[in-house]
C-alpha cells in the first residue's frame, strides 16, 4: 500500500475474532514475535487493558483508538494493519517525522560507542555537540552572550525553570501572561496558561482576528492590546507591581493556532525592555522550523531574554532547556537541578535534527508548503459554513469549526471532524477555545504529494461530519 493510499473499511467494523481468555493471557507474556503480526483482536485487548490500567487523565488514547506498531516519516501503522497519515507528530515533537534515518543513526552511534547514557549534568562530547549546534541556530544577538540550563525532560519543566530564573534574577514574583496561552501542566506553568483557575499572574489580551479581544481585528486591535499592556504597567493604581517577566508564545498552539502579530510582538519587546522586564519566548512547539522560520520569534525579528525549548530539539526523545542572557545567570550551584537533565540519546538525536533542518532549509520549505496548504484550506472554507476561520504559520495550521447558524464554537462538530479524519486514515487533534479548532502539525519533511493527501482527507471529512449518521 502506498504511503498516501486511502484506507478501506471502517474503524468500527466487528472484530475478526472474539476476545478470549487465552488471547488475553497471551498478551500478558513478553512479546516474542513482531508487533506487526498482531491482529485487530489483539489490538482491541491492548486498548481495553490500557483503559483499565491507566489513569483517567489519559488524553490522546481516548480520541485515537489505535495501537501503533510501526512508523516511518508521516505514516503510522496500527496493530490492525491500517495506516494513518500522522498530522499530530507527537504534538509537534517530530520535526522529521517518525524514525528518520539521521535520527536513528545518531541514536545508534551513541549506543554502539559505549558512552554512558546517564550523566546528570556532567560534560560529554555528545552534550557539547548538541550545545554547539543549538547555539549556531539561535538568534545571533542571543547566542553571542547566552547561557543554557538543561532541565527535566518535558517542556513544562523548562517553563518552570524560566519562571524561577527571572524571579531569582529580578527579585520580583509577579508574571505577565496572555489570554489563550498554554505553557504546560505543572503548577507554575498552568498558572501562566489561559485556563488557569487560581490565577497569580496578570492576564493580558492576546490579539487575534477571528474573535478579537476588543472587538477590533487587524492592526488597530493589535495597537489596542499593546496600549492596554503599557497603560496597565505604568498606572500607579493599576494594581500590577513590577513583574519578574513576561511569557509569550510566538504562535499559540493549544490556544487555537493564533500567530502573534509581528508588529505587536515587537511592541511587547519594546515595552518589556523599556521597563527592565525579562521577555520569555515559549518556543516549545514553535521552534526548529515549525512556523516557517527556525524560531517563531524570527518572524518579528525579536530577540527575547529567555527562550524555552523542548519537543523537536530532542529529535523525538525527551529533552528540555532554557537559553537566556548571561546577565540573568545568578543561580547558585544546585539552585535548579534534575536527575534526568543529561539525556545523551536525546542530545544526539537533537543534534542530528537541528543540523538536518538547517542544512536542508526545512524552515523555508515549511513556510512555502504551509502557505500553499493554508491557501487550499481557505478556498475550501469559503463553501463550508461550518468553518469559521483558517489560520496558521508554516506547518502549524488550524481550522476553526463553528455552528453554521450562529458562528459560535462547535466542539461536538469538531470532534466529529476528527473522527471522520481517523476513518479516512488521517490523525489530527483539537485545540483552541472549547476544543473547536482542528490542528495540523505534520513533519517538516512533508512532501507535496503527502500534503495533497492530507488536504484531500481533511476536506472530505468536514462535510462528512455534518451529515447525520
Amino acid at each position: 500500500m502506498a504511503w498516501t493510499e486511502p484506507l478501506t473499511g471502517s474503524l468500527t467494523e466487528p472484530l475478526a475474532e472474539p476476545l478470549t481468555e487465552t488471547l488475553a493471557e497471551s498478551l500478558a507474556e513478553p512479546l516474542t514475535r513482531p508487533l506487526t503480526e498482531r491482529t485487530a483482536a489483539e489490538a482491541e485487548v491492548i486498548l481495553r487493558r490500557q483503559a483499565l490500567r491507566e489513569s483517567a487523565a489519559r488524553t490522546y488514547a481516548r480520541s485515537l483508538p489505535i495501537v501503533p506498531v510501526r512508523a516511518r516519516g508521516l505514516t503510522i501503522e496500527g496493530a490492525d494493519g491500517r495506516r494513518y497519515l500522522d498530522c499530530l507528530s507527537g504534538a509537534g515533537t517530530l520535526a522529521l517525522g517518525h524514525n528518520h534515518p539521521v535520527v536513528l543513526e545518531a541514536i545508534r552511534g551513541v549506543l554502539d560507542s559505549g558512552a554512558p547514557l546517564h550523566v546528570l549534568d556532567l560534560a560529554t562530547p555528545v552534550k557539547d555537540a548538541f550545545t554547539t549546534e543549538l547555539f549556531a541556530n539561535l538568534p545571533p544577538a542571543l547566542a553571542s552572550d547566552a547561557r543554557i540550563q538543561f532541565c527535566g525532560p518535558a517542556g513544562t519543566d523548562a517553563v518552570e525553570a524560566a519562571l524561577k530564573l527571572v524571579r531569582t534574577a529580578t527579585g520580583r514574583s509577579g508574571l505577565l501572561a496572555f489570554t489563550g496561552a498554554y505553557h504546560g501542566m505543572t503548577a507554575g506553568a498552568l498558572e501562566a496558561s489561559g485556563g488557569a483557575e487560581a490565577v497569580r499572574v496578570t492576564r493580558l489580551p492576546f490579539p487575534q482576528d477571528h474573535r478579537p479581544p476588543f472587538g477590533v481585528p487587524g492592526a488597530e486591535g493589535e495597537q489596542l492590546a499593546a496600549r492596554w499592556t503599557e497603560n496597565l504597567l505604568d498606572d500607579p493604581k493599576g494594581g500590577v507591581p513590577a513583574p519578574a517577566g513576561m511569557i509569550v508564545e510566538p504562535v499559540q498552539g493549544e490556544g487555537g493556532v493564533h500567530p502573534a502579530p509581528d508588529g505587536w510582538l515587537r511592541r511587547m519587546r519594546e515595552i518589556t525592555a523599556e521597563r527592565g522586564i525579562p521577555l520569555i519566548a515559549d518556543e516549545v512547539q514553535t521552534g526548529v522550523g515549525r512556523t516557517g522560520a527556525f524560531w517563531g520569534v524570527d518572524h518579528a525579528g525579536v530577540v527575547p531574554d529567555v527562550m524555552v525549548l523542548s519537543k523537536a530539539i530532542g529529535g523525538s526523545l525527551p529533552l528540555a532547556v532554557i537559553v537566556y542572557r548571561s546577565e540573568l545567570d545568578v543561580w547558585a550551584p544546585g539552585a535548579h537541578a534534575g536527575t534526568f537533565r543529561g539525556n545523551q540519546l536525546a542530545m544526539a538525536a537533537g543534534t542530528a535534527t537541528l543540523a538536518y533542518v538547517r542544512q536542508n532549509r526545512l524552515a523555508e520549505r515549511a513556510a512555502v508548503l504551509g502557505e500553499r496548504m493554508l491557501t487550499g484550506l481557505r478556498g475550501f472554507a469559503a463553501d463550508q459554513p461550518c468553518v469559521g476561520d483558517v489560520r496558521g504559520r508554516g506547518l502549524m495550521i488550524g481550522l476553526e469549526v463553528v455552528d453554521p447558524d450562529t458562528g459560535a464554537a462547535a466542539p461536538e462538530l469538531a470532534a466529529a471532524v476528527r473522527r471522520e479524519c481517523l476513518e479516512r486514515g488521517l490523525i489530527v487533534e483539537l485545540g483552541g477555545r472549547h476544543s473547536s479548532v482542528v490542528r495540523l502539525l505534520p513533519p517538516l519533511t512533508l512532501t507535496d504529494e503527502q500534503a495533497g493527501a492530507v488536504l484531500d482527507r481533511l476536506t472530505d471529512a468536514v462535510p462528512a461530519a455534518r451529515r447525520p449518521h
Side-chain angles (χ1 to χ4, degrees), residues 163 166-167 170-177 200-202 240-247 277-278 280:
L163 303 185
V166 296
R167 284 168 170 154
T170 64
R172 305 190 289 261
S173 61
L175 186 69
L176 303 175
R200 295 191 298 171
V201 303
T202 299
V240 180
M246 173 189 285
I247 185 167
I277 303 169
I280 305 167

PDB file of all heavy atoms in Angstrom, residues 163 166-167 170-177 200-202 240-247 277-278 280:
ATOM      1  N   LEU A 163      10.569  30.586  34.688  1.00  0.00           N
ATOM      2  CA  LEU A 163       9.896  31.440  35.670  1.00  0.00           C
ATOM      3  C   LEU A 163      10.744  31.600  36.926  1.00  0.00           C
ATOM      4  O   LEU A 163      10.850  32.693  37.502  1.00  0.00           O
ATOM      5  CB  LEU A 163       8.530  30.849  36.026  1.00  0.00           C
ATOM      6  CG  LEU A 163       7.548  30.616  34.869  1.00  0.00           C
ATOM      7  CD1 LEU A 163       6.202  30.142  35.407  1.00  0.00           C
ATOM      8  CD2 LEU A 163       7.388  31.868  34.027  1.00  0.00           C
ATOM      9  N   VAL A 166      13.808  34.094  36.143  1.00  0.00           N
ATOM     10  CA  VAL A 166      13.567  35.540  36.119  1.00  0.00           C
ATOM     11  C   VAL A 166      13.161  36.052  37.496  1.00  0.00           C
ATOM     12  O   VAL A 166      13.468  37.201  37.853  1.00  0.00           O
ATOM     13  CB  VAL A 166      12.504  35.908  35.061  1.00  0.00           C
ATOM     14  CG1 VAL A 166      13.026  35.561  33.664  1.00  0.00           C
ATOM     15  CG2 VAL A 166      11.162  35.240  35.310  1.00  0.00           C
ATOM     16  N   ARG A 167      12.489  35.222  38.282  1.00  0.00           N
ATOM     17  CA  ARG A 167      12.146  35.657  39.633  1.00  0.00           C
ATOM     18  C   ARG A 167      13.382  35.773  40.506  1.00  0.00           C
ATOM     19  O   ARG A 167      13.497  36.694  41.319  1.00  0.00           O
ATOM     20  CB  ARG A 167      11.129  34.678  40.238  1.00  0.00           C
ATOM     21  CG  ARG A 167       9.728  34.876  39.691  1.00  0.00           C
ATOM     22  CD  ARG A 167       8.769  33.771  40.042  1.00  0.00           C
ATOM     23  NE  ARG A 167       7.399  34.136  39.690  1.00  0.00           N
ATOM     24  CZ  ARG A 167       6.437  33.268  39.415  1.00  0.00           C
ATOM     25  NH1 ARG A 167       6.681  31.969  39.456  1.00  0.00           N
ATOM     26  NH2 ARG A 167       5.221  33.695  39.108  1.00  0.00           N
ATOM     27  N   THR A 170      15.446  38.968  39.124  1.00  0.00           N
ATOM     28  CA  THR A 170      14.866  40.297  39.338  1.00  0.00           C
ATOM     29  C   THR A 170      14.493  40.556  40.794  1.00  0.00           C
ATOM     30  O   THR A 170      14.305  41.714  41.182  1.00  0.00           O
ATOM     31  CB  THR A 170      13.598  40.471  38.482  1.00  0.00           C
ATOM     32  OG1 THR A 170      12.600  39.529  38.914  1.00  0.00           O
ATOM     33  CG2 THR A 170      13.904  40.250  37.006  1.00  0.00           C
ATOM     34  N   GLY A 171      14.343  39.500  41.575  1.00  0.00           N
ATOM     35  CA  GLY A 171      13.875  39.675  42.944  1.00  0.00           C
ATOM     36  C   GLY A 171      12.403  39.984  43.034  1.00  0.00           C
ATOM     37  O   GLY A 171      11.893  40.357  44.094  1.00  0.00           O
ATOM     38  N   ARG A 172      11.714  39.820  41.906  1.00  0.00           N
ATOM     39  CA  ARG A 172      10.271  40.078  41.873  1.00  0.00           C
ATOM     40  C   ARG A 172       9.531  38.756  41.662  1.00  0.00           C
ATOM     41  O   ARG A 172      10.122  37.760  41.259  1.00  0.00           O
ATOM     42  CB  ARG A 172       9.945  41.076  40.749  1.00  0.00           C
ATOM     43  CG  ARG A 172      10.740  42.384  40.866  1.00  0.00           C
ATOM     44  CD  ARG A 172      10.233  43.429  39.897  1.00  0.00           C
ATOM     45  NE  ARG A 172      10.530  43.151  38.503  1.00  0.00           N
ATOM     46  CZ  ARG A 172      11.537  43.675  37.808  1.00  0.00           C
ATOM     47  NH1 ARG A 172      12.404  44.496  38.411  1.00  0.00           N
ATOM     48  NH2 ARG A 172      11.707  43.394  36.540  1.00  0.00           N
ATOM     49  N   SER A 173       8.237  38.756  41.908  1.00  0.00           N
ATOM     50  CA  SER A 173       7.496  37.496  41.811  1.00  0.00           C
ATOM     51  C   SER A 173       6.375  37.507  40.788  1.00  0.00           C
ATOM     52  O   SER A 173       5.947  36.456  40.326  1.00  0.00           O
ATOM     53  CB  SER A 173       6.902  37.134  43.185  1.00  0.00           C
ATOM     54  OG  SER A 173       5.997  38.149  43.617  1.00  0.00           O
ATOM     55  N   GLY A 174       5.877  38.683  40.428  1.00  0.00           N
ATOM     56  CA  GLY A 174       4.752  38.755  39.501  1.00  0.00           C
ATOM     57  C   GLY A 174       5.119  38.273  38.101  1.00  0.00           C
ATOM     58  O   GLY A 174       6.294  38.190  37.724  1.00  0.00           O
ATOM     59  N   LEU A 175       4.098  37.971  37.313  1.00  0.00           N
ATOM     60  CA  LEU A 175       4.320  37.466  35.964  1.00  0.00           C
ATOM     61  C   LEU A 175       3.245  38.003  35.035  1.00  0.00           C
ATOM     62  O   LEU A 175       2.079  38.132  35.420  1.00  0.00           O
ATOM     63  CB  LEU A 175       4.272  35.934  35.971  1.00  0.00           C
ATOM     64  CG  LEU A 175       4.638  35.232  34.666  1.00  0.00           C
ATOM     65  CD1 LEU A 175       6.122  35.408  34.365  1.00  0.00           C
ATOM     66  CD2 LEU A 175       4.277  33.760  34.738  1.00  0.00           C
ATOM     67  N   LEU A 176       3.645  38.309  33.800  1.00  0.00           N
ATOM     68  CA  LEU A 176       2.708  38.726  32.758  1.00  0.00           C
ATOM     69  C   LEU A 176       2.530  37.572  31.781  1.00  0.00           C
ATOM     70  O   LEU A 176       3.512  37.011  31.280  1.00  0.00           O
ATOM     71  CB  LEU A 176       3.234  39.959  32.012  1.00  0.00           C
ATOM     72  CG  LEU A 176       3.546  41.193  32.851  1.00  0.00           C
ATOM     73  CD1 LEU A 176       4.177  42.277  31.968  1.00  0.00           C
ATOM     74  CD2 LEU A 176       2.284  41.730  33.520  1.00  0.00           C
ATOM     75  N   ALA A 177       1.272  37.214  31.504  1.00  0.00           N
ATOM     76  CA  ALA A 177       0.973  36.160  30.549  1.00  0.00           C
ATOM     77  C   ALA A 177      -0.257  36.593  29.757  1.00  0.00           C
ATOM     78  O   ALA A 177      -0.801  37.675  29.981  1.00  0.00           O
ATOM     79  CB  ALA A 177       0.737  34.830  31.265  1.00  0.00           C
ATOM     80  N   ARG A 200      -2.404  33.761  39.699  1.00  0.00           N
ATOM     81  CA  ARG A 200      -1.496  34.648  40.414  1.00  0.00           C
ATOM     82  C   ARG A 200      -0.652  35.451  39.431  1.00  0.00           C
ATOM     83  O   ARG A 200       0.377  35.993  39.799  1.00  0.00           O
ATOM     84  CB  ARG A 200      -0.585  33.838  41.334  1.00  0.00           C
ATOM     85  CG  ARG A 200      -1.324  33.132  42.458  1.00  0.00           C
ATOM     86  CD  ARG A 200      -0.347  32.573  43.472  1.00  0.00           C
ATOM     87  NE  ARG A 200       0.533  31.584  42.867  1.00  0.00           N
ATOM     88  CZ  ARG A 200       1.595  31.053  43.485  1.00  0.00           C
ATOM     89  NH1 ARG A 200       1.898  31.444  44.712  1.00  0.00           N
ATOM     90  NH2 ARG A 200       2.340  30.152  42.880  1.00  0.00           N
ATOM     91  N   VAL A 201      -1.092  35.506  38.169  1.00  0.00           N
ATOM     92  CA  VAL A 201      -0.387  36.292  37.161  1.00  0.00           C
ATOM     93  C   VAL A 201      -1.343  37.335  36.600  1.00  0.00           C
ATOM     94  O   VAL A 201      -2.562  37.225  36.726  1.00  0.00           O
ATOM     95  CB  VAL A 201       0.140  35.402  36.015  1.00  0.00           C
ATOM     96  CG1 VAL A 201       1.041  34.311  36.545  1.00  0.00           C
ATOM     97  CG2 VAL A 201      -1.004  34.800  35.214  1.00  0.00           C
ATOM     98  N   THR A 202      -0.784  38.347  35.973  1.00  0.00           N
ATOM     99  CA  THR A 202      -1.592  39.362  35.311  1.00  0.00           C
ATOM    100  C   THR A 202      -1.868  38.905  33.892  1.00  0.00           C
ATOM    101  O   THR A 202      -0.938  38.628  33.125  1.00  0.00           O
ATOM    102  CB  THR A 202      -0.860  40.711  35.299  1.00  0.00           C
ATOM    103  OG1 THR A 202      -0.638  41.131  36.650  1.00  0.00           O
ATOM    104  CG2 THR A 202      -1.687  41.760  34.576  1.00  0.00           C
ATOM    105  N   VAL A 240      -0.784  46.417  39.437  1.00  0.00           N
ATOM    106  CA  VAL A 240       0.200  45.473  38.881  1.00  0.00           C
ATOM    107  C   VAL A 240       1.595  45.980  39.227  1.00  0.00           C
ATOM    108  O   VAL A 240       2.119  46.889  38.568  1.00  0.00           O
ATOM    109  CB  VAL A 240       0.045  45.341  37.352  1.00  0.00           C
ATOM    110  CG1 VAL A 240       1.077  44.348  36.808  1.00  0.00           C
ATOM    111  CG2 VAL A 240      -1.356  44.891  36.998  1.00  0.00           C
ATOM    112  N   PRO A 241       2.219  45.421  40.255  1.00  0.00           N
ATOM    113  CA  PRO A 241       3.588  45.819  40.573  1.00  0.00           C
ATOM    114  C   PRO A 241       4.546  45.335  39.495  1.00  0.00           C
ATOM    115  O   PRO A 241       4.195  44.498  38.656  1.00  0.00           O
ATOM    116  CB  PRO A 241       3.852  45.121  41.906  1.00  0.00           C
ATOM    117  CG  PRO A 241       2.916  43.954  41.912  1.00  0.00           C
ATOM    118  CD  PRO A 241       1.700  44.402  41.169  1.00  0.00           C
ATOM    119  N   ALA A 242       5.737  45.871  39.518  1.00  0.00           N
ATOM    120  CA  ALA A 242       6.732  45.484  38.503  1.00  0.00           C
ATOM    121  C   ALA A 242       6.886  43.970  38.485  1.00  0.00           C
ATOM    122  O   ALA A 242       7.198  43.360  39.511  1.00  0.00           O
ATOM    123  CB  ALA A 242       8.069  46.153  38.808  1.00  0.00           C
ATOM    124  N   PRO A 243       6.654  43.333  37.321  1.00  0.00           N
ATOM    125  CA  PRO A 243       6.692  41.871  37.260  1.00  0.00           C
ATOM    126  C   PRO A 243       8.094  41.334  37.044  1.00  0.00           C
ATOM    127  O   PRO A 243       9.010  42.059  36.630  1.00  0.00           O
ATOM    128  CB  PRO A 243       5.801  41.560  36.062  1.00  0.00           C
ATOM    129  CG  PRO A 243       5.975  42.748  35.169  1.00  0.00           C
ATOM    130  CD  PRO A 243       6.193  43.935  36.068  1.00  0.00           C
ATOM    131  N   ALA A 244       8.249  40.051  37.309  1.00  0.00           N
ATOM    132  CA  ALA A 244       9.533  39.387  37.100  1.00  0.00           C
ATOM    133  C   ALA A 244       9.781  39.075  35.632  1.00  0.00           C
ATOM    134  O   ALA A 244      10.923  38.961  35.204  1.00  0.00           O
ATOM    135  CB  ALA A 244       9.600  38.096  37.912  1.00  0.00           C
ATOM    136  N   GLY A 245       8.714  38.929  34.862  1.00  0.00           N
ATOM    137  CA  GLY A 245       8.891  38.604  33.458  1.00  0.00           C
ATOM    138  C   GLY A 245       7.567  38.551  32.732  1.00  0.00           C
ATOM    139  O   GLY A 245       6.487  38.556  33.328  1.00  0.00           O
ATOM    140  N   MET A 246       7.652  38.504  31.405  1.00  0.00           N
ATOM    141  CA  MET A 246       6.505  38.301  30.518  1.00  0.00           C
ATOM    142  C   MET A 246       6.784  37.054  29.692  1.00  0.00           C
ATOM    143  O   MET A 246       7.859  36.906  29.117  1.00  0.00           O
ATOM    144  CB  MET A 246       6.309  39.500  29.578  1.00  0.00           C
ATOM    145  CG  MET A 246       5.227  39.260  28.499  1.00  0.00           C
ATOM    146  SD  MET A 246       5.180  40.574  27.255  1.00  0.00           S
ATOM    147  CE  MET A 246       4.390  41.897  28.182  1.00  0.00           C
ATOM    148  N   ILE A 247       5.822  36.128  29.631  1.00  0.00           N
ATOM    149  CA  ILE A 247       5.982  34.908  28.852  1.00  0.00           C
ATOM    150  C   ILE A 247       4.954  34.902  27.725  1.00  0.00           C
ATOM    151  O   ILE A 247       3.776  35.176  27.942  1.00  0.00           O
ATOM    152  CB  ILE A 247       5.870  33.652  29.732  1.00  0.00           C
ATOM    153  CG1 ILE A 247       6.162  32.393  28.909  1.00  0.00           C
ATOM    154  CG2 ILE A 247       4.531  33.561  30.457  1.00  0.00           C
ATOM    155  CD1 ILE A 247       6.384  31.152  29.756  1.00  0.00           C
ATOM    156  N   ILE A 277      11.869  44.396  32.178  1.00  0.00           N
ATOM    157  CA  ILE A 277      11.118  43.152  32.393  1.00  0.00           C
ATOM    158  C   ILE A 277      11.640  42.091  31.429  1.00  0.00           C
ATOM    159  O   ILE A 277      11.554  42.268  30.210  1.00  0.00           O
ATOM    160  CB  ILE A 277       9.606  43.364  32.148  1.00  0.00           C
ATOM    161  CG1 ILE A 277       9.059  44.470  33.054  1.00  0.00           C
ATOM    162  CG2 ILE A 277       8.836  42.061  32.353  1.00  0.00           C
ATOM    163  CD1 ILE A 277       7.647  44.905  32.687  1.00  0.00           C
ATOM    164  N   PRO A 278      12.208  40.989  31.906  1.00  0.00           N
ATOM    165  CA  PRO A 278      12.680  39.943  31.005  1.00  0.00           C
ATOM    166  C   PRO A 278      11.534  39.377  30.161  1.00  0.00           C
ATOM    167  O   PRO A 278      10.446  39.109  30.676  1.00  0.00           O
ATOM    168  CB  PRO A 278      13.248  38.877  31.943  1.00  0.00           C
ATOM    169  CG  PRO A 278      13.592  39.620  33.199  1.00  0.00           C
ATOM    170  CD  PRO A 278      12.548  40.692  33.317  1.00  0.00           C
ATOM    171  N   ILE A 280      10.211  36.285  28.009  1.00  0.00           N
ATOM    172  CA  ILE A 280      10.394  34.846  27.841  1.00  0.00           C
ATOM    173  C   ILE A 280       9.595  34.395  26.617  1.00  0.00           C
ATOM    174  O   ILE A 280       8.379  34.594  26.565  1.00  0.00           O
ATOM    175  CB  ILE A 280       9.897  34.058  29.074  1.00  0.00           C
ATOM    176  CG1 ILE A 280      10.570  34.573  30.346  1.00  0.00           C
ATOM    177  CG2 ILE A 280      10.122  32.567  28.897  1.00  0.00           C
ATOM    178  CD1 ILE A 280       9.896  34.068  31.622  1.00  0.00           C
TER     179      ILE A 280
END
